[in-house]
Amino acid sequence: MTWRGHAPLVALRCEVDEHVAAARLRARHASMSDADEFVATRMAADLEPWPDAVPIATAGSPGAAVTMAVAAVRDRSHFG
């Protein structure tokens, strides 16, 4: 038996002020990532517009960002 389904794709773009991002990178310890402030600066310089993505503010708590993301997905995908 084959099951077919579909799910809408909702692009989310996490956004944070560069100073908050730098402070978070400096505060990290024992991370698997090798990203640092230099990498963040380079990525920001190469950033291209993404008008279809819903911006998600990540300067606050993770819970607040998740709440925004869930609301965006529900709004864009017409889930209730």
Side-chain angles (χ1 to χ4, degrees):
M1 174 190 279
T2 302
W3 181 81
R4 292 182 187 232
H6 74 279
L9 176 63
V10 179
L12 305 175
R13 177 179 170 176
C14 296
E15 296 183 345
V16 68
D17 179 86
E18 64 186 74
H19 301 293
V20 173
R24 288 177 178 174
L25 288 167
R26 285 191 301 273
R28 264 192 336 192
H29 301 288
S31 172
M32 295 291 292
S33 173
D34 60 354
D36 57 15
E37 290 180 69
F38 175 75
V39 172
T41 301
R42 291 288 309 264
M43 289 177 66
D46 291 339
L47 193 63
E48 294 185 20
W50 193 5
D52 296 336
V54 178
I56 303 298
T58 60
S61 72
V66 168
T67 298
M68 289 180 65
V70 169
V73 169
R74 285 186 174 151
D75 182 53
R76 294 274 178 108
S77 62
H78 306 290
F79 287 147

